[in-house]
Amino acid sequence: MGLKARFLSLILSLPALLIALTFHEYAHGYAALKMGDPTAKYSGRLSFNPVHHMDLMGTICLLFFGFGWARPVPVNPRNFRDAKKGAIVVSLAGPFANFVLALFFSFVIAAMERFVSANTFTVFFYNIFSACVYLNVGLMIFNLLPIPPLDGSKVLMEFLPPRAKYKFYEFERYSGIILMALIVFNVLTPVLSFLKNWVLVFINILVGLVF
């Protein structure tokens, strides 16, 4: 891909990126509130303003690699009415929101292909909606990995025995460095691409039931 094409791709990806990150983190905060913890609300994170949620490195990874993360929403598990259920629901809320968004924009794309004539205006939005699908699926898959501090690791920890859970907490100190190394050296890319393709196939099947 040439420099000009790459730049255009980044420009088209920005709206998709802001939508994916914002809804992901809002979902975490909203789920925490429903589980009994108002920390995100009082911290100003129950917001659809993307500035409140963006993490610099996670945003760069999303733009250039198609998977990444946002600034974590503050959560106090001690406020949950049910600690285990609260931790699982809150952790899965962000990835689930991304799946719903990917499915929604897939339906929008299918509707455009069937009912809207192609022109410069519609093609522009078609490309943005396509980026919304791919970025949301990428964000969902990446965050479900059982590597701290990603959402998948928080779900996994709720099913570990106490000793293993403690070891997992110790591992979290170094997980950021390990995670970045895995990204930089493309260790995760084949696995993430494989999972991403299967999720896209599943979404296409669901869309095909309607269109």
Side-chain angles (χ1 to χ4, degrees), residues 161-172:
R163 187 171 181 179
K165 194 172 184 178
Y166 176 76
K167 292 290 185 183
F168 212 58
Y169 275 122
E170 284 191 328
F171 170 70
E172 193 167 2

Side-chain angles (χ1 to χ4, degrees), residues 136-202:
N136 273 287
V137 171
L139 188 64
M140 179 193 76
I141 294 296
F142 183 72
N143 276 279
L144 286 176
L145 292 175
I147 304 173
L150 302 178
D151 298 325
S153 70
K154 295 178 175 63
V155 175
L156 175 61
M157 277 194 281
E158 294 306 314
F159 295 96
L160 293 176
R163 187 171 181 179
K165 194 172 184 178
Y166 176 76
K167 292 290 185 183
F168 212 58
Y169 275 122
E170 284 191 328
F171 170 70
E172 193 167 2
R173 300 180 198 171
Y174 315 102
S175 59
I177 297 172
I178 295 172
L179 192 59
M180 285 308 303
L182 292 174
I183 292 172
V184 170
F185 293 106
N186 286 326
V187 176
L188 292 176
T189 302
V191 176
L192 291 170
S193 296
F194 174 79
L195 295 173
K196 191 173 180 179
N197 288 337
W198 274 106
V199 172
L200 290 170
V201 168
F202 178 65

Side-chain angles (χ1 to χ4, degrees), residues 3-208:
L3 184 61
K4 184 177 180 180
R6 183 61 181 169
F7 179 74
L8 180 61
S9 176
L10 288 176
I11 293 299
L12 291 174
S13 295
L14 280 175
L17 172 69
L18 297 178
I19 291 171
L21 290 177
T22 301
F23 275 81
H24 180 100
E25 293 305 323
Y26 181 89
H28 281 313
Y30 182 78
L33 183 63
K34 290 300 180 180
M35 290 294 106
D37 176 35
T39 305
K41 178 181 178 180
Y42 294 148
S43 301
R45 297 297 300 278
L46 276 184
S47 168
F48 286 109
N49 183 347
V51 175
H52 294 165
H53 304 296
M54 293 178 69
D55 175 271
L56 179 59
M57 187 56 66
T59 301
I60 291 172
C61 286
L62 258 174
L63 280 172
F64 289 95
F65 299 104
F67 49 85
W69 59 92
R71 188 161 58 91
V73 163
V75 173
N76 186 351
R78 287 176 292 185
N79 291 328
F80 292 153
R81 289 182 289 273
D82 182 323
K84 183 172 183 175
K85 180 182 177 181
I88 294 172
V89 169
V90 171
S91 297
L92 293 178
F96 179 72
N98 291 127
F99 176 78
V100 171
L101 281 173
L103 184 61
F104 169 76
F105 284 111
S106 294
F107 275 110
V108 172
I109 289 169
M112 289 182 70
E113 290 174 343
R114 173 163 291 195
F115 302 115
V116 179
S117 300
N119 55 54
T120 303
F121 181 78
T122 57
V123 168
F124 175 76
F125 280 98
Y126 182 92
N127 289 331
I128 290 179
F129 296 153
S130 296
C132 284
V133 173
Y134 288 108
L135 277 173
N136 273 287
V137 171
L139 188 64
M140 179 193 76
I141 294 296
F142 183 72
N143 276 279
L144 286 176
L145 292 175
I147 304 173
L150 302 178
D151 298 325
S153 70
K154 295 178 175 63
V155 175
L156 175 61
M157 277 194 281
E158 294 306 314
F159 295 96
L160 293 176
R163 187 171 181 179
K165 194 172 184 178
Y166 176 76
K167 292 290 185 183
F168 212 58
Y169 275 122
E170 284 191 328
F171 170 70
E172 193 167 2
R173 300 180 198 171
Y174 315 102
S175 59
I177 297 172
I178 295 172
L179 192 59
M180 285 308 303
L182 292 174
I183 292 172
V184 170
F185 293 106
N186 286 326
V187 176
L188 292 176
T189 302
V191 176
L192 291 170
S193 296
F194 174 79
L195 295 173
K196 191 173 180 179
N197 288 337
W198 274 106
V199 172
L200 290 170
V201 168
F202 178 65
I203 287 175
N204 286 333
I205 291 173
L206 295 179
V207 172

